[in-house]
Amino acid sequence: MHFAFYILHFLLLTSDTLYIHYSGDKLDYDFKNDIILLTGNATLIYKDVKVFADTIRYEPKKEYIYAYSNAILWVGTQKTESERMRYNLTTGEGISYNARTHIQKGWFEGEIMRKVGEKILNIDYGTFTTCDLPTPHYYFWARELKVYLDDMVIAKPVILCIQDIPVFIIPYWFFPITKKRRSGLLFPKIGTSTSEGRYVKNISYYYVINDYADCTFILDYMEKRGPKFGIEAIYLIRPWVSGNLTASHIIDVIEEKRRWSCNFVHMHNIGRSLSIRAMGNFLSDTQYKTDYEEETLVQLDKRMISNVSITKRWSFGSSGLILEENRDLVTNTYTRLFPQATFTMHNKEFLGAHLSYSNLLVNYGIPDTSYQGFDNRIRLSRPFKVLKFFSLMPSMNYSLTIYDRDKQGKEYPIREFASYSLSFSTIVYGRTFFRKPEFRHILTPRISWSYTPERDFSRFYTFSNIGGAGAGGKAISFSLGNNFQAVFFDKKINIGNLNFSSAWNFEEKRINPVSISLFLTPIPFYDMRASATYNTTTDKIENIGITNNLVILTRQLTGKNLKIKLTHHYTPERDHSMWGNISIPLTKNWDLKAERRWDLKENKVTEESFSLMRDLHCWIAHLGYRKYGNSTRYSFEVKIKEIPEIKVGKGIIGWLLP
């Protein structure tokens, strides 16, 4: 007869009474061997250990639990499912067969799963995946896995399988499974190139030094050039210290020489008012970036810049000191600031006026010579209100510079000049008589006068913000700003701006060309920017530039934004082009973005690109393509959501792509 019962069994261990709760549809007790056998919906509970199975055998003397068929083991919040298992209540060690468990970031399965320590798990012929589906989209298979809970996984050998198809294999790998930073191997990149041959790059070990610093050791093996070693280190102690170091070294087989690079940045805040910053770029030769860097913009950078700067702030101003070298790798020339010192005093009230002061001390070096200069600048301004509606601003600028020498060889010459200016402005408001809707026009006229006495400064050097044109003369400039607004239902909307600016030419006694700029947003999905110059001599409009932006469509699809946009640009005799942009959420998981540029003058496509993204449940896949002129580039990448460090790029499957 089928019946159910519940039994409370008492065990005495080291003078403490411990309670074990167990139940089942049927109970058999072997008094001779002290074995309890639970059959049918068997359950055993001891402290935070819970065991469920079709059949459970419990041996109190040995403290062993054996579970058969549909076995489930809970230890705290850790759940393990298996066909059968054995577990020791005292040591916490056990073994499971055809088992599955979830640890931190993903699921582990294995033919044999052993718990050999409080936080150590050994798995034979097992898999790991972050996909929670019964049949996962991907998994990593390994003959041996050693799992350190709250830390990392060590596996060998490792095969990446997608939809049960092996796509990649490495002999040894370990990776973090905790949300905290953990040391581990990073995924390598495999591919080929004409200059390097077949290669395996980014064979990297990421090492966490402590909570504030880490470093990555990198090996790139290139068939034609040989192995290149590198290191990347980062440290951060907010808000006081931060920085990074990147270095690499190779004995290049093709060039038959030793080559290297080193870059670093260090920032140090001492208190709230003192900051120290240092950076350095060093290369063994001019072609290093071209030969080893993959990004085009990095390859084109032909400079090495190194500097150290110290900045001190006070309530009344600030000062700074800079040591810098800027070297051009193409011309093999350099400029140096050894040193450059600055001081700036904030605006101060002085007899109702605003007074500011700054100075600059520079020792500027170039190959074979150097220059020194000490520059002092004072600005004094005083704003006034005239008849409440007009603003008047007179100001004076004075500069005095002491040089070590001039072009004639005279020592310690002094260059000084002063300039004076006066500006006059106001704001005029206008609006329609009707109020629904109401249109507003805000007019801001401004006129400025400036004067600098004529001086001949041709004998003085110009370097690093020291010197300059300093040409004398007088000028009158004027501008007119127009801002157009509308008010609908108490909501203010900016329709556009139309601005004019020019100056009076005293030498030719005429108005200089008038600069015109226009910005219109008459409707939410359209805007236009235009600029031009009116030549007062030829009475012609020149330098016309017009850009139109039109959002053709925007709407919600599958919870995302569908957007189609056109951009038109026109500059007479130079550029007449149109850009088309489209962003389409094809489905809940597919997104498409495409862009194309047409040269309307030549009637041809000059640039095009597209990117396709796919949410693969536990992966994100991205396929990109760009063509510019005769240059074509593509990118492909698939990475795990939970562990973005693990990704497959075009380097691995590059031979399949054009």
Side-chain angles (χ1 to χ4, degrees):
M1 182 179 69
H2 179 77
F3 62 93
F5 58 87
Y6 183 81
I7 296 178
L8 180 64
H9 188 71
F10 301 92
L11 298 173
L12 182 63
L13 297 172
T14 63
S15 74
D16 291 329
T17 301
L18 302 178
Y19 297 94
I20 296 181
H21 303 263
Y22 49 84
S23 65
D25 294 341
K26 181 181 179 182
L27 169 67
D28 290 310
Y29 182 59
D30 185 341
F31 286 94
K32 181 179 179 180
N33 298 309
D34 194 17
I35 296 175
I36 298 171
L37 184 65
L38 304 170
T39 307
N41 298 313
T43 302
L44 186 147
I45 301 174
Y46 170 70
K47 291 185 177 181
D48 65 342
V49 177
K50 299 177 183 178
V51 181
F52 306 92
D54 291 346
T55 302
I56 294 177
R57 189 179 76 184
Y58 174 50
E59 299 180 1
K61 290 183 179 180
K62 298 180 180 179
E63 292 298 317
Y64 271 115
I65 300 171
Y66 298 85
Y68 307 93
S69 185
N70 300 315
I72 298 176
L73 169 67
W74 285 93
V75 180
T77 59
Q78 185 71 46
K79 178 184 179 182
T80 302
E81 302 172 87
S82 62
E83 288 185 0
R84 57 190 177 95
M85 56 154 287
R86 183 188 71 206
Y87 185 79
N88 188 291
L89 290 175
T90 302
T91 65
E93 298 179 353
I95 184 170
S96 302
Y97 298 89
N98 294 322
R100 172 182 169 89
T101 186
H102 184 269
I103 301 175
Q104 273 88 32
K105 291 185 176 182
W107 294 91
F108 289 85
E109 293 187 12
E111 293 184 13
I112 302 175
M113 190 177 293
R114 302 180 184 88
K115 188 175 183 183
V116 296
E118 183 179 355
K119 291 190 175 183
I120 302 176
L121 201 65
N122 290 341
I123 303 174
D124 295 342
Y125 302 97
T127 64
F128 167 74
T129 181
T130 59
C131 183
D132 58 2
L133 297 178
T135 303
H137 291 118
Y138 83 97
Y139 55 85
F140 291 94
W141 180 93
R143 187 178 65 249
E144 299 176 19
L145 293 101
K146 195 174 191 69
V147 182
Y148 295 90
L149 304 183
D150 298 320
D151 195 351
M152 68 171 64
V153 176
I154 301 175
K156 61 180 182 180
V158 179
I159 301 175
L160 171 61
C161 297
I162 299 177
Q163 299 291 355
D164 291 327
I165 300 175
V167 297
F168 185 71
I169 182 171
I170 52 177
Y172 180 82
W173 190 39
F174 55 99
F175 58 93
I177 57 170
T178 176
K179 294 182 179 179
K180 297 180 180 179
R181 296 159 51 249
R182 285 291 186 269
S183 302
L185 290 173
L186 302 181
F187 219 71
K189 176 182 177 181
I190 301 175
T192 61
S193 75
T194 55
S195 61
E196 299 169 342
R198 292 173 294 183
Y199 61 75
V200 181
K201 293 185 178 182
N202 197 41
I203 305 173
S204 306
Y205 176 66
Y206 173 71
Y207 176 60
V208 177
I209 301 173
N210 52 40
D211 291 341
Y212 311 104
D214 56 57
C215 66
T216 305
F217 301 95
I218 306 168
L219 168 63
D220 295 344
Y221 182 79
M222 295 163 282
E223 182 182 31
K224 293 183 178 180
R225 294 188 178 273
K228 180 164 75 76
F229 301 92
I231 184 172
E232 296 178 359
I234 299 176
Y235 53 93
L236 174 62
I237 306 177
R238 288 191 176 98
W240 302 287
V241 177
S242 64
N244 62 75
L245 167 70
T246 303
S248 61
H249 174 272
I250 183 174
I251 300 177
D252 197 305
V253 176
I254 296 177
E255 301 294 334
E256 297 183 344
K257 64 179 180 181
R258 189 185 305 272
R259 309 178 74 183
W260 53 268
S261 71
C262 181
N263 304 296
F264 73 89
V265 174
H266 174 78
M267 290 176 284
H268 196 158
N269 296 322
I270 303 175
R272 296 184 177 181
S273 60
L274 181 62
S275 300
I276 301 173
R277 177 185 172 91
M279 64 167 288
N281 305 123
F282 306 98
L283 295 171
S284 59
D285 56 84
T286 59
Q287 290 298 115
Y288 190 92
K289 292 183 179 180
T290 303
D291 290 343
Y292 301 116
E293 296 292 347
E294 296 184 358
E295 296 294 331
T296 303
L297 291 178
V298 179
Q299 293 179 358
L300 296 175
D301 186 5
K302 302 296 184 181
R303 299 173 302 156
M304 289 194 304
I305 302 175
S306 304
N307 62 53
V308 178
S309 65
I310 303 174
T311 303
K312 172 66 177 177
R313 295 172 293 278
W314 292 280
S315 59
F316 56 86
S318 63
S319 62
L321 179 69
I322 298 177
L323 303 176
E324 179 179 278
E325 178 180 284
N326 190 329
R327 184 174 292 272
D328 189 315
L329 297 176
V330 177
T331 61
N332 197 28
T333 59
Y334 65 83
T335 61
R336 288 174 178 164
L337 299 175
F338 272 40
Q340 174 177 291
T342 61
F343 173 77
T344 301
M345 184 184 74
H346 301 323
N347 277 332
K348 297 294 181 181
E349 291 287 338
F350 178 73
L351 299 178
H354 300 298
L355 175 67
S356 64
Y357 168 76
S358 64
N359 63 42
L360 175 66
L361 176 65
V362 176
N363 179 23
Y364 179 81
I366 59 175
D368 302 326
T369 190
S370 63
Y371 307 96
Q372 291 83 43
F374 181 48
D375 185 62
N376 298 267
R377 300 186 183 188
I378 298 175
R379 176 179 172 81
L380 185 65
S381 60
R382 175 69 164 88
F384 294 93
K385 274 291 185 181
V386 180
L387 300 177
K388 296 184 180 180
F389 303 108
F390 303 96
S391 298
L392 189 67
M393 173 75 80
S395 63
M396 181 195 74
N397 293 281
Y398 175 76
S399 175
L400 183 146
T401 307
I402 303 174
Y403 293 81
D404 64 323
R405 68 186 188 279
D406 61 17
K407 296 179 180 179
Q408 300 171 359
K410 182 180 178 180
E411 293 186 345
Y412 307 113
I414 297 177
R415 174 187 187 270
E416 63 174 333
F417 74 92
S419 63
Y420 312 89
S421 64
L422 179 67
S423 64
F424 181 81
S425 62
T426 188
I427 301 177
V428 180
Y429 297 92
R431 63 182 186 180
T432 56
F433 290 104
F434 48 88
R435 295 291 181 265
K436 294 182 180 180
E438 177 184 343
F439 292 92
R440 298 175 180 176
H441 178 201
I442 302 173
L443 201 66
T444 54
R446 179 186 178 90
I447 184 169
S448 300
W449 169 84
S450 63
Y451 170 70
T452 303
E454 293 282 352
R455 301 290 298 273
D456 182 11
F457 296 132
S458 60
R459 66 190 181 98
F460 295 101
Y461 292 105
T462 299
F463 53 90
S464 187
N465 297 318
I466 296 290
K474 54 186 176 180
I476 294 179
S477 60
F478 37 84
S479 63
L480 180 64
N482 298 270
N483 184 19
F484 302 96
Q485 299 176 346
V487 179
F488 293 92
F489 304 104
D490 297 325
K491 183 179 180 181
K492 184 175 69 175
I493 301 172
N494 286 316
I495 299 175
N497 299 285
L498 177 61
N499 301 314
F500 303 89
S501 63
S502 185
W504 176 257
N505 190 319
F506 282 91
E507 292 184 0
E508 300 181 10
K509 294 183 172 50
R510 62 173 179 83
I511 297 177
N512 283 336
V514 180
S515 298
I516 307 169
S517 64
L518 173 67
F519 175 63
L520 292 177
T521 55
I523 48 180
F525 51 84
Y526 170 77
D527 67 73
M528 183 189 76
R529 298 177 185 271
S531 62
T533 301
Y534 171 65
N535 192 320
T536 55
T537 302
T538 61
D539 196 28
K540 292 181 179 180
I541 300 294
E542 302 173 345
N543 303 321
I544 298 173
I546 302 173
T547 301
N548 296 280
N549 292 302
L550 175 64
V551 179
I552 298 175
L553 179 65
T554 177
R555 98 175 25 166
Q556 284 279 323
L557 280 182
T558 64
K560 304 175 185 177
N561 281 326
L562 165 66
K563 189 174 183 179
I564 303 175
K565 180 181 176 182
L566 282 178
T567 300
H568 170 260
H569 183 71
Y570 174 69
T571 301
E573 299 180 359
R574 290 176 54 193
D575 181 26
H576 190 193
S577 59
M578 181 176 290
W579 287 82
N581 305 78
I582 185 169
S583 178
I584 305 176
L586 300 174
T587 66
K588 180 181 178 181
N589 298 321
W590 284 94
D591 291 290
L592 172 66
K593 294 182 180 180
E595 186 177 274
R596 174 173 281 193
R597 181 182 179 185
W598 294 271
D599 187 328
L600 301 179
K601 185 178 179 181
E602 299 291 335
N603 193 26
K604 65 178 182 180
V605 176
T606 58
E607 185 174 353
E608 60 184 2
S609 66
F610 81 86
S611 64
L612 187 63
M613 294 189 66
R614 171 73 162 96
D615 188 325
L616 297 169
H617 179 254
C618 47
W619 292 76
I620 294 179
H622 174 267
L623 176 64
Y625 164 83
R626 177 175 292 276
K627 181 178 181 181
Y628 181 76
N630 296 323
S631 175
T632 301
R633 303 185 67 179
Y634 64 89
S635 61
F636 174 76
E637 183 178 81
V638 181
K639 61 183 178 182
I640 300 175
K641 288 182 181 179
E642 293 294 323
I643 314 176
E645 299 89 352
I646 301 177
K647 54 188 175 182
V648 179
K650 78 172 185 180
I652 292 181
I653 63 168
W655 56 83
L656 299 177
L657 301 174

